[in-house]
Amino acid sequence: GAVVSQHPSRVICKSGTSVKIECRSLDFQATTMFWYRQFPKQSLMLMATSNEGSKATYEQGVEKDKFLINHASLTLSTLTVTSAHPEDSSFYICSARDGQNFYNEQFFGPGTRLTVL
Amino acid sequence: AQTVTQSQPEMSVQEAETVTLSCTYDTSENNYYLFWYKQPPSRQMILVIRQEAYKQQNATENRFSVNFQKAAKSFSLKISDSQLGDTAMYFCAFRVAAGNKLTFGGGTRVLVKP
């Protein structure tokens, strides 16, 4: 089956620093990847849609300059949280859309827990 | 815009019993998919079952089945013969067939008791 990995699985950083999270599709090419944020005991909130070779599309209320997304290849998208603050602490999940899948299904990564001190 | 509503924040069920999770949605689209995802304590999202809106037959995957009522915009999930490993958050989700974005409901926490 389609596998999506995320790295790192958890990261702790100091306030004001930047953190990069990688999302990789391991056995398929993903022209589209998605980044979600999930607060404890809440649902997934879509932050942005990442398209290979073009700029990401951000959801309303998501700061583009705070959450930088790069989708430079068909198997890799990165999310960089710039100048992180404690309120950015959250669980970040990526998913990748397999265009060859009949249902254009999204496959999810295992998530990254970010803690900003 | 689509909305997905799960009205049950938490449910508990005895092992081997059956539990049904509710989901309603609102859309003006005619061609779409509905999904149930499971998020266990590991937090890995796992697809449980999918339903195409154009199919009248309810989807079934082993112990999991859905009751899809298109006119009522209702999409419930039944878990039969509940197992301890079914303990998780369950999310109902909607996607326009030709679209990309998934819209999630707020989730239902299911606890299977031994």
Side-chain angles (χ1 to χ4, degrees):
Chain A
V3 179
V4 176
S5 70
Q6 271 184 253
H7 179 79
S9 58
R10 56 178 60 208
V11 57
I12 301 173
C13 69
K14 293 182 178 181
S15 186
T17 61
S18 294
V19 174
K20 181 185 286 187
I21 302 170
E22 292 186 348
C23 177
R24 293 182 185 272
S25 56
L26 298 185
D27 49 4
F28 66 98
Q29 293 185 331
T31 55
T32 307
M33 291 183 171
F34 305 85
W35 288 95
Y36 297 87
R37 184 172 181 176
Q38 187 179 30
F39 290 105
K41 298 187 178 181
Q42 293 189 25
S43 188
L44 281 71
M45 181 192 77
L46 179 65
M47 299 174 65
T49 301
S50 166
N51 295 297
E52 187 267 337
S54 64
K55 290 184 179 181
T57 303
Y58 290 82
E59 294 301 300
Q60 191 172 9
V62 178
E63 298 177 60
K64 300 178 183 181
D65 296 331
K66 159 69 82 174
F67 300 101
L68 299 179
I69 291 172
N70 183 277
H71 192 160
S73 79
L74 287 171
T75 58
L76 173 65
S77 176
T78 60
L79 169 68
T80 301
V81 183
T82 63
S83 187
H85 289 96
E87 57 265 30
D88 298 324
S89 297
S90 190
F91 193 69
Y92 293 87
I93 302 174
C94 75
S95 70
R97 174 173 162 264
D98 182 354
Q100 299 301 312
N101 180 280
F102 179 79
Y103 300 102
N104 286 328
E105 201 161 311
Q106 287 185 34
F107 297 91
F108 288 83
T112 297
R113 182 179 303 281
L114 170 63
T115 302
V116 185
L117 302 176
Chain B
Q2 284 70 231
T3 59
V4 179
T5 303
Q6 295 178 246
S7 59
Q8 305 148 314
E10 289 190 17
M11 298 192 75
S12 63
V13 59
Q14 291 295 133
E15 196 174 6
E17 297 295 309
T18 296
V19 63
T20 300
L21 312 182
S22 300
C23 173
T24 58
Y25 59 96
D26 190 25
T27 185
S28 58
E29 299 286 340
N30 191 50
N31 194 12
Y32 51 87
Y33 295 110
L34 293 162
F35 307 87
W36 279 98
Y37 285 91
K38 170 185 178 180
Q39 188 180 42
S42 68
R43 308 208 52 184
Q44 171 73 58
M45 294 287 285
I46 301 165
L47 177 64
V48 174
I49 199 165
R50 95 171 61 76
Q51 174 79 43
E52 293 112 301
Y54 65 86
K55 287 189 177 179
Q56 292 186 341
Q57 185 173 6
N58 290 321
T60 300
E61 287 289 342
N62 300 313
R63 298 182 294 107
F64 299 89
S65 61
V66 298
N67 184 0
F68 173 47
Q69 301 292 325
K70 190 172 183 179
K73 294 180 181 173
S74 170
F75 182 60
S76 62
L77 174 70
K78 184 170 78 173
I79 306 174
S80 303
D81 185 26
S82 297
Q83 300 177 359
L84 296 178
D86 295 333
T87 291
M89 281 289 289
Y90 287 81
F91 294 100
C92 179
F94 172 101
R95 198 195 88 208
V96 175
N100 274 327
K101 295 182 184 180
L102 282 169
T103 301
F104 287 94
T108 297
R109 183 175 303 276
V110 173
L111 174 64
V112 180
K113 297 180 178 179

Short mmCIF file of all heavy atoms in Angstrom, two decimals, chain A residues 41-72:
data_model
loop_
_atom_site.label_atom_id
_atom_site.label_comp_id
_atom_site.label_asym_id
_atom_site.label_seq_id
_atom_site.Cartn_x
_atom_site.Cartn_y
_atom_site.Cartn_z
N LYS A 41 -7.41 16.51 21.07
CA LYS A 41 -8.82 16.12 21.11
C LYS A 41 -9.67 16.89 20.11
O LYS A 41 -10.88 17.03 20.30
CB LYS A 41 -9.37 16.27 22.53
CG LYS A 41 -8.68 15.36 23.54
CD LYS A 41 -9.35 15.42 24.89
CE LYS A 41 -8.66 14.48 25.86
NZ LYS A 41 -9.32 14.47 27.20
N GLN A 42 -9.04 17.39 19.08
CA GLN A 42 -9.79 18.10 18.05
C GLN A 42 -9.57 17.45 16.68
O GLN A 42 -8.78 16.52 16.54
CB GLN A 42 -9.39 19.57 18.01
CG GLN A 42 -9.80 20.34 19.25
CD GLN A 42 -9.59 21.83 19.10
OE1 GLN A 42 -9.57 22.36 17.98
NE2 GLN A 42 -9.44 22.51 20.21
N SER A 43 -10.29 17.97 15.71
CA SER A 43 -10.21 17.41 14.38
C SER A 43 -9.00 17.97 13.62
O SER A 43 -8.26 18.82 14.13
CB SER A 43 -11.49 17.73 13.62
OG SER A 43 -11.53 17.05 12.38
N LEU A 44 -8.82 17.49 12.42
CA LEU A 44 -7.74 17.99 11.56
C LEU A 44 -8.20 19.27 10.88
O LEU A 44 -9.30 19.33 10.33
CB LEU A 44 -7.38 16.95 10.50
CG LEU A 44 -6.49 15.79 10.91
CD1 LEU A 44 -7.22 14.83 11.82
CD2 LEU A 44 -5.94 15.07 9.68
N MET A 45 -7.32 20.24 10.89
CA MET A 45 -7.62 21.51 10.23
C MET A 45 -6.65 21.65 9.05
O MET A 45 -5.43 21.66 9.24
CB MET A 45 -7.44 22.67 11.19
CG MET A 45 -7.74 24.03 10.57
SD MET A 45 -7.21 25.40 11.61
CE MET A 45 -5.44 25.40 11.30
N LEU A 46 -7.18 21.76 7.85
CA LEU A 46 -6.34 21.91 6.68
C LEU A 46 -5.66 23.27 6.72
O LEU A 46 -6.32 24.31 6.86
CB LEU A 46 -7.16 21.76 5.40
CG LEU A 46 -6.40 21.91 4.08
CD1 LEU A 46 -5.37 20.79 3.92
CD2 LEU A 46 -7.36 21.93 2.90
N MET A 47 -4.34 23.26 6.58
CA MET A 47 -3.59 24.51 6.56
C MET A 47 -3.34 24.96 5.14
O MET A 47 -3.50 26.14 4.81
CB MET A 47 -2.24 24.33 7.26
CG MET A 47 -2.33 23.94 8.72
SD MET A 47 -0.71 23.59 9.40
CE MET A 47 0.07 25.19 9.29
N ALA A 48 -2.90 24.02 4.29
CA ALA A 48 -2.53 24.40 2.94
C ALA A 48 -2.47 23.18 2.05
O ALA A 48 -2.29 22.05 2.51
CB ALA A 48 -1.18 25.11 2.94
N THR A 49 -2.61 23.46 0.76
CA THR A 49 -2.46 22.44 -0.27
C THR A 49 -1.20 22.75 -1.05
O THR A 49 -1.01 23.88 -1.52
CB THR A 49 -3.67 22.45 -1.22
OG1 THR A 49 -4.85 22.21 -0.46
CG2 THR A 49 -3.54 21.38 -2.29
N SER A 50 -0.35 21.75 -1.17
CA SER A 50 0.96 21.92 -1.78
C SER A 50 0.99 21.20 -3.12
O SER A 50 0.72 20.00 -3.19
CB SER A 50 2.00 21.31 -0.83
OG SER A 50 3.24 21.14 -1.45
N ASN A 51 1.29 21.95 -4.17
CA ASN A 51 1.35 21.37 -5.51
C ASN A 51 2.79 21.38 -6.01
O ASN A 51 3.47 22.41 -5.92
CB ASN A 51 0.46 22.14 -6.47
CG ASN A 51 -1.00 22.03 -6.11
OD1 ASN A 51 -1.59 20.95 -6.12
ND2 ASN A 51 -1.62 23.14 -5.76
N GLU A 52 3.22 20.28 -6.54
CA GLU A 52 4.60 20.15 -7.01
C GLU A 52 4.91 21.19 -8.06
O GLU A 52 4.17 21.34 -9.04
CB GLU A 52 4.83 18.74 -7.55
CG GLU A 52 6.27 18.43 -7.91
CD GLU A 52 6.58 18.71 -9.37
OE1 GLU A 52 5.66 18.71 -10.19
OE2 GLU A 52 7.77 18.91 -9.69
N GLY A 53 5.97 21.94 -7.83
CA GLY A 53 6.44 22.91 -8.79
C GLY A 53 5.71 24.23 -8.81
O GLY A 53 5.98 25.09 -9.64
N SER A 54 4.77 24.42 -7.89
CA SER A 54 4.05 25.70 -7.85
C SER A 54 3.83 26.12 -6.40
O SER A 54 4.12 25.37 -5.47
CB SER A 54 2.71 25.60 -8.58
OG SER A 54 1.85 24.69 -7.93
N LYS A 55 3.31 27.32 -6.24
CA LYS A 55 3.11 27.84 -4.89
C LYS A 55 1.96 27.11 -4.19
O LYS A 55 0.99 26.70 -4.82
CB LYS A 55 2.78 29.34 -4.95
CG LYS A 55 3.96 30.20 -5.38
CD LYS A 55 3.57 31.68 -5.33
CE LYS A 55 4.75 32.56 -5.72
NZ LYS A 55 4.40 34.01 -5.66
N ALA A 56 2.10 27.02 -2.88
CA ALA A 56 1.05 26.38 -2.10
C ALA A 56 -0.17 27.27 -2.00
O ALA A 56 -0.08 28.50 -2.10
CB ALA A 56 1.57 26.05 -0.71
N THR A 57 -1.30 26.64 -1.81
CA THR A 57 -2.56 27.37 -1.59
C THR A 57 -2.91 27.26 -0.12
O THR A 57 -3.11 26.15 0.39
CB THR A 57 -3.69 26.77 -2.44
OG1 THR A 57 -3.31 26.79 -3.81
CG2 THR A 57 -4.98 27.56 -2.24
N TYR A 58 -2.99 28.41 0.55
CA TYR A 58 -3.23 28.42 1.98
C TYR A 58 -4.71 28.62 2.29
O TYR A 58 -5.41 29.36 1.59
CB TYR A 58 -2.41 29.54 2.64
CG TYR A 58 -0.92 29.27 2.63
CD1 TYR A 58 -0.14 29.55 1.51
CD2 TYR A 58 -0.29 28.73 3.75
CE1 TYR A 58 1.22 29.28 1.50
CE2 TYR A 58 1.07 28.48 3.76
CZ TYR A 58 1.82 28.75 2.62
OH TYR A 58 3.17 28.50 2.62
N GLU A 59 -5.13 28.00 3.36
CA GLU A 59 -6.51 28.20 3.82
C GLU A 59 -6.62 29.56 4.51
O GLU A 59 -5.62 30.14 4.98
CB GLU A 59 -6.91 27.08 4.77
CG GLU A 59 -6.99 25.72 4.09
CD GLU A 59 -7.97 25.66 2.94
OE1 GLU A 59 -9.18 25.91 3.17
OE2 GLU A 59 -7.55 25.36 1.81
N GLN A 60 -7.84 30.04 4.54
CA GLN A 60 -8.08 31.33 5.16
C GLN A 60 -7.63 31.32 6.63
O GLN A 60 -7.92 30.38 7.37
CB GLN A 60 -9.57 31.67 5.08
CG GLN A 60 -9.93 33.09 5.45
CD GLN A 60 -11.38 33.40 5.16
OE1 GLN A 60 -12.17 32.52 4.85
NE2 GLN A 60 -11.74 34.67 5.27
N GLY A 61 -6.91 32.36 7.00
CA GLY A 61 -6.46 32.49 8.38
C GLY A 61 -5.09 31.89 8.65
O GLY A 61 -4.56 32.07 9.75
N VAL A 62 -4.52 31.21 7.69
CA VAL A 62 -3.19 30.62 7.86
C VAL A 62 -2.15 31.58 7.30
O VAL A 62 -2.25 32.01 6.15
CB VAL A 62 -3.09 29.26 7.14
CG1 VAL A 62 -1.68 28.68 7.28
CG2 VAL A 62 -4.12 28.28 7.70
N GLU A 63 -1.17 31.92 8.12
CA GLU A 63 -0.16 32.91 7.72
C GLU A 63 0.86 32.28 6.78
O GLU A 63 1.61 31.38 7.17
CB GLU A 63 0.55 33.45 8.96
CG GLU A 63 -0.35 34.17 9.94
CD GLU A 63 0.45 34.59 11.17
OE1 GLU A 63 1.42 35.37 11.00
OE2 GLU A 63 0.13 34.12 12.28
N LYS A 64 0.93 32.79 5.58
CA LYS A 64 1.85 32.24 4.59
C LYS A 64 3.30 32.43 5.01
O LYS A 64 4.15 31.58 4.75
CB LYS A 64 1.65 32.94 3.23
CG LYS A 64 0.26 32.77 2.66
CD LYS A 64 0.14 33.54 1.34
CE LYS A 64 -1.28 33.43 0.79
NZ LYS A 64 -1.41 34.15 -0.51
N ASP A 65 3.60 33.56 5.61
CA ASP A 65 4.98 33.85 5.98
C ASP A 65 5.41 33.09 7.23
O ASP A 65 6.60 32.96 7.50
CB ASP A 65 5.17 35.34 6.19
CG ASP A 65 4.94 36.13 4.92
OD1 ASP A 65 5.19 35.57 3.84
OD2 ASP A 65 4.49 37.28 5.01
N LYS A 66 4.44 32.61 7.98
CA LYS A 66 4.74 31.84 9.19
C LYS A 66 4.95 30.37 8.84
O LYS A 66 5.85 29.72 9.35
CB LYS A 66 3.59 32.00 10.18
CG LYS A 66 3.45 30.93 11.25
CD LYS A 66 4.56 30.98 12.25
CE LYS A 66 4.28 32.02 13.30
NZ LYS A 66 5.32 31.96 14.36
N PHE A 67 4.14 29.87 7.97
CA PHE A 67 4.19 28.46 7.58
C PHE A 67 4.58 28.37 6.10
O PHE A 67 3.73 28.45 5.21
CB PHE A 67 2.84 27.80 7.83
CG PHE A 67 2.39 27.83 9.26
CD1 PHE A 67 1.45 28.77 9.69
CD2 PHE A 67 2.92 26.95 10.19
CE1 PHE A 67 1.04 28.82 11.02
CE2 PHE A 67 2.51 26.98 11.52
CZ PHE A 67 1.58 27.92 11.93
N LEU A 68 5.88 28.20 5.87
CA LEU A 68 6.39 28.14 4.51
C LEU A 68 6.34 26.71 3.99
O LEU A 68 6.82 25.79 4.63
CB LEU A 68 7.84 28.64 4.47
CG LEU A 68 8.07 30.10 4.90
CD1 LEU A 68 9.55 30.42 4.83
CD2 LEU A 68 7.26 31.06 4.06
N ILE A 69 5.77 26.55 2.82
CA ILE A 69 5.63 25.22 2.24
C ILE A 69 6.35 25.18 0.91
O ILE A 69 6.19 26.06 0.07
CB ILE A 69 4.14 24.86 2.06
CG1 ILE A 69 3.50 24.66 3.43
CG2 ILE A 69 3.97 23.60 1.21
CD1 ILE A 69 1.99 24.49 3.40
N ASN A 70 7.14 24.12 0.74
CA ASN A 70 7.86 23.90 -0.50
C ASN A 70 7.60 22.48 -0.98
O ASN A 70 7.72 21.53 -0.20
CB ASN A 70 9.37 24.12 -0.28
CG ASN A 70 10.15 23.96 -1.57
OD1 ASN A 70 10.49 22.86 -1.98
ND2 ASN A 70 10.41 25.07 -2.22
N HIS A 71 7.27 22.35 -2.25
CA HIS A 71 6.97 21.03 -2.82
C HIS A 71 7.85 20.91 -4.06
O HIS A 71 7.36 21.04 -5.18
CB HIS A 71 5.48 20.94 -3.14
CG HIS A 71 5.00 19.56 -3.47
ND1 HIS A 71 3.67 19.21 -3.40
CD2 HIS A 71 5.65 18.45 -3.87
CE1 HIS A 71 3.52 17.96 -3.74
NE2 HIS A 71 4.71 17.47 -4.04
N ALA A 72 9.12 20.65 -3.84
CA ALA A 72 10.11 20.73 -4.91
C ALA A 72 10.18 19.48 -5.78
O ALA A 72 10.71 19.52 -6.89
CB ALA A 72 11.48 21.02 -4.32
#
